[in-house]
Each structure stands twice: as structure tokens, then as C-alpha cells.
Amino acid sequence: MADKQSRKICIVVQRYGEEVNGGAELLARQIAEKLVENDEVTVLTSKAVDYMSWADEYSSDSEMLNGVTVKRFSVNHPRDFTVFNAYNSRFMDGLLPEAEEKQWVVEEGPYIPAMLDYLKDHKDHYDVFLFFTYLYYPTVMGIPEVADKSIVFPLAHDEPFLKMRIFDNVFTLPKAFVFETEEERKLIRKKYHNYYIPGIICGAGVDVPEDINNIRFRKKYNLLSKYIVYIGRIDTGKNCEQLFDFFLRYKKENPSDLKLVLIGKPVIPVPENEDIISLGFVSDEDKYDALAGAEYLVLPSKYESLSLVVLESFSLSVPVLVNGECEVLKSHCEISNGGFYYLDYEQFSHYMDVLLKQKEIRTDMGISGKKYVENKFNWDIILHKLHNLIEMVSADH
């Protein structure tokens, strides 16, 4: 990338840091740390680690993290669950007027108006602004301030919030889009008819460490039996209750020592059962070691814009079992032949049997998934496309 002209790039994302658990936040950090090899990169973000409360946890206003300048802003007030849930319930019931959608965004958070002031005051300092995820206050309120220099990674999927008019600016004002999948591009183009705004499909690269050892993981957590693994936020929004229900039902019908290992922060209660092991937030080393030793990855979410964890699983030749109601996850399986998708318990149970009992199929799927990632989710290709887009947006200023 040394032949590329260096640019001053500003990334806007709701949370940022090695302690932050979230697909969008991880993608933002990966992109920042790749771009900083050739460009001057600054990240604007909150001081929060937890997306539920948005409470300040980082103390410093600025730090250098892996070559990236990170400017953190205090959240004016943590999320008040009673207030936000009241607004959100009214929206879900179709009773929230358009005039109150801005307050929904404020209550959802992270409410950091000081970041907007920074954007206004420093717009001319940067060549381009990259916004990650359409859903949160920094993107919704920040894009109008720097629209003519903005590139948006919407990370959108088909969910009720896209009905809000407050998001129209996010999808009609930017200079360009970066979509993660063809499914996301079709969704946004169809809804907003914004074909006049350039967009590319980039996906994400996968960075897998060289030192991966599933035996190390088994010894650390005293895990002797076979297991399947779920990695991500343990939450209603990720459809985890259904996973618990389906898994325990399967175990009742098919007694064995098989475990379900959960990696990620629990937002909802995890059933107290000897076959479900919740490890909470773990190190990257533990995550990759766990994934490498799993029979397969299971992902029950109905709403994903890309799913880095599926790509990570494929990269380790580990097949997946995913919810077929999510078009993105379904497409990953169909194109790669690296996993199965289910729509109900009967299909879930059937594919559990196939993946657990037919090692040859599991192996073949692992090989296919790895080839899929190597061919389609390559950082060199992604960064080349992204640099070209940044050059295009910067050329107008």
C-alpha cells in the first residue's frame, strides 16, 4: 500500500477497544489497524465498554492503540432502561410518532453531543469519515455534519428499526457506502432507492492467529467431552433462548456427554444445566482455541449483516449450523457448502445428528468453508477496494 497517497481518515463508531465485544466494533478496529499502515487514522468513540448501559469505563480522553489515535467522549448519561424501553415498546407497537424518533435515538445512546461538536469543528481536518453501523446516535447525528466526506458501513439487516424515518439521512446523505454482503446491498437499495450513491461490497478479512491449540483450551477449562460452541452476545436479540431450548430438547432426546459452550457476555440468564457451559468474555486466544476444538459453531441469530464469527469458524475448517431465517447466514452456507441452516427444531435436530455423527461430512464442510473465506474474504482485495473508494470521496475536496 506504500504507493497510495496518505489520507487523514476519521472513523466514527459507538465503542472501540480490545475489551469491546461486538462484530461491528471489531470490524471498525480491524479496518482502522489496517488503514493506519498507510494513512493517519483517528477514531471517535465513547468511553463505554458495555452497550447496554453506555456507562463510562475508559478514563482517558485520548490514547494511541496499535498506531491508531483514539479520542473518547464521555456519555452524557447512561441508558435509562425504563425510559428507553418505554420509547422502544411504543415503537414496536406502532405508536411512536416520527417527531419522537430523535428522542428514541438519544435514549438508545450512546448520547455524546460533544462528539458532534468535534465533528463540526474538525470537519476540514480530515479527508474522509467512516461511520460504522447505522443504528446509533454517533452515526445518525454525525453524518449530517460531514455528509459530503462520509462513507457509511451500515451493517444493516432486515429489522424493524429500518422503518424509522430518523435513519433516512444515514441512507440518503453519505458520499458512499460499504456493504458487507450482496443481501445487505439489495436490502438498502430496495428500501431507499439510493442508487445514485456509490457503493461497494467489501465483506471483511479474517485474521487468525498462528498459535491455536484446542488442547490448551480443554485443559484450561477442564473440558473433556465433545462440545459445540456459540460465540457472541448472549441475548434475546441473538435468539439465544431458542438455542437453549433446542439444545436441551435435543440432549433429552439424545443423551450423551455433549456440551454447549457459550463465549460472550451474558445479557440474559443462562440455564443452570451441566451441559451448558458459559465462559463469559474470554481472550482471543481462548476464543480461537475453543473454536478450533469444537465439533461445529452454532449461531441462532435471525439478524446478521455479515457475521465475522462464521468467517472465523470457516477459516479454521470448522463447519457451522445457523438460523436459516437470516438470509446472510443462509447465503454463507449455500455459497460455501461450509454448513447447514435450520428453520425449526426438527431441522436443527436432524443437522445436529449429521454433524455429530458423520465425520466425513463435517470434514468436507470444514474444507469448503476454509476455501470460501480464502477466496472471498481477503484483506488485500478488501483494502484495495476501500482505498479506491476513499480516493474517490477525497478527490472532491
Side-chain angles (χ1 to χ4, degrees), residues 12 24 39 62-63 82 96 145 151 155 194 216 225 233 255 258 261 267 281 325 330 349-350 378 392:
V12 180
D39 300 298
S62 182
E63 68 170 313
T82 301
L96 187 70
E145 302 297 338
I151 298 175
L155 300 170
N194 51 8
R216 176 172 58 197
S225 59
R233 197 171 65 247
L258 179 72
V261 174
V267 178
F281 185 80
E325 289 189 51
K330 179 180 177 182
S349 176
H350 171 70
N378 178 291
M392 184 204 76

Side-chain angles (χ1 to χ4, degrees), residues 199-219:
I200 59 173
I201 299 175
C202 256
V206 180
D207 293 318
V208 176
E210 293 183 8
D211 179 23
I212 298 177
N213 187 332
N214 72 85
I215 302 301
R216 176 172 58 197
F217 171 78
R218 288 182 176 278
K219 288 182 177 178

Side-chain angles (χ1 to χ4, degrees), residues 12 79 86 98 165 182 194 221 243 249 348 356 367 389:
V12 180
R79 181 185 288 177
E98 186 179 331
R165 297 300 301 275
E182 177 64 20
N194 51 8
Y221 293 101
L243 173 60
R249 183 175 169 186
F348 177 88
L356 290 171
I367 293 171
L389 193 65

